[in-house]
Amino acid sequence: MLGSLVFGDRFSIINRFIFLLVTAASVSACIYSDANSLHPNLRSMTVPLLSDGYVITRNRHFVIPIASNIYIPMPKSGIQMEEDAEAVENKSKKLMEVQTTAFAAHFAHVRSGKIQMSVEEALRFAKEQQMNFLLYAHVREWQDMGLLKKGECKQETVVVETPREISATQTLTACDWNFANPMDKAGLSIWMYEVNSRQLVDVITVDSTSGALTFLGDTPLSLLKRPLSKLAQTYSAQ
């Protein structure tokens, strides 16, 4: 009888412990839930490291009128990669388009730029166009990774025979390919200005990372679509 009571007490303690763990996890999920659109710090509800996830941090907590005029320029600074200037500008333009699409879903008047601008140029233009708010993005991290990474390349000159038995030399290039970390990452700092006063009213950071089970087809731009949409929702309080 005594053994059975001891076993029952232990079982009860284990149940209580499990209940406390589940309760703590539920509270944590509520704090960082995607559904809580008014919380200044937002996390996606994903399994860590397995699926794409993001974290949004806002310096201040407020909403703006739905009828606000919002200007989103193409930033000058940002994406750094081993590509020519035209390719970098094209990606900067696509980043601006992702931002514009996200905010246009919640606000009536969202305008995007056509050329790259500095913050000063963007503020001046936004004021001329009677905009209320300026959103200026700065890229902090931009990793567009593939499963294979090109390593050292070597060139070798070989002699080949043509169909007419005339010898000719050709230079062949051979490169080593190594497996790389395929996880893409994107990190933004977004500055929100009130145009008339030129005051910096909010500083936002957005960080998004591929998951181990969802990295195929990911790009830094695709990773930013969900968090930017959620960010726009926090400003509209919808």
Side-chain angles (χ1 to χ4, degrees):
M1 175 69 71
L2 180 61
S4 132
L5 288 174
V6 171
F7 177 77
D9 288 343
R10 287 180 179 174
F11 186 73
S12 176
I13 291 171
I14 291 173
N15 275 343
R16 290 177 184 177
F17 181 69
I18 292 174
F19 175 77
L20 288 173
L21 285 178
V22 171
T23 302
S26 300
V27 171
S28 175
C30 289
I31 293 174
Y32 296 115
S33 171
D34 225 12
N36 187 3
S37 64
L38 293 181
H39 199 280
N41 300 326
L42 299 173
R43 296 175 186 267
S44 59
M45 290 293 289
T46 59
V47 180
L49 302 179
L50 295 183
S51 52
D52 298 347
Y54 64 80
V55 178
I56 303 170
T57 302
R58 284 181 53 185
N59 190 49
R60 296 181 61 193
H61 182 199
F62 60 90
V63 295
I64 60 178
I66 300 297
S68 297
N69 296 322
I70 300 173
Y71 181 55
I72 302 177
M74 192 189 311
K76 269 189 175 178
S77 59
I79 303 168
Q80 302 295 326
M81 58 190 70
E82 295 179 1
E83 296 185 24
D84 57 34
E86 184 177 350
V88 172
E89 183 177 345
N90 184 49
K91 283 186 169 60
S92 183
K93 180 181 179 181
K94 289 183 177 179
L95 170 59
M96 176 191 67
E97 291 171 351
V98 170
Q99 286 180 272
T100 303
T101 299
F103 276 81
H106 298 277
F107 294 91
H109 308 289
V110 181
R111 180 172 177 178
S112 58
K114 295 183 179 179
I115 60 173
Q116 289 183 309
M117 288 185 172
S118 66
V119 175
E120 284 298 319
E121 291 169 335
L123 278 169
R124 189 162 52 248
F125 180 82
K127 189 168 185 178
E128 291 172 357
Q129 300 299 314
Q130 299 182 338
M131 310 303 286
N132 303 121
F133 296 95
L134 167 71
L135 286 172
Y136 194 91
H138 176 78
V139 178
R140 292 182 291 102
E141 190 171 17
W142 193 272
Q143 293 185 18
D144 195 352
M145 308 297 291
L147 188 58
L148 292 175
K149 185 177 181 180
K150 185 183 290 187
E152 183 180 357
C153 295
K154 298 179 180 178
Q155 289 188 337
E156 181 182 357
T157 302
V158 296
V159 178
V160 296
E161 296 289 338
T162 66
R164 297 183 180 181
E165 298 182 354
I166 300 174
S167 297
T169 60
Q170 286 188 355
T171 301
L172 303 179
T173 302
C175 298
D176 295 329
W177 290 87
N178 304 312
F179 284 103
N181 179 0
M183 306 300 181
D184 295 332
K185 291 183 179 181
L188 298 181
S189 292
I190 304 175
W191 304 324
M192 174 178 272
Y193 288 88
E194 199 282 316
V195 173
N196 283 332
S197 66
R198 300 173 65 90
Q199 182 180 358
L200 181 63
V201 294
D202 205 358
V203 177
I204 309 107
T205 61
V206 178
D207 292 283
S208 190
T209 308
S210 294
L213 300 180
T214 54
F215 66 85
L216 291 177
D218 276 348
T219 65
L221 281 169
S222 69
L223 289 174
L224 289 170
K225 289 182 179 180
R226 273 202 312 143
L228 287 174
S229 178
K230 177 56 64 176
L231 174 64
Q233 185 180 348
T234 69
Y235 281 112
S236 67
Q238 294 181 5

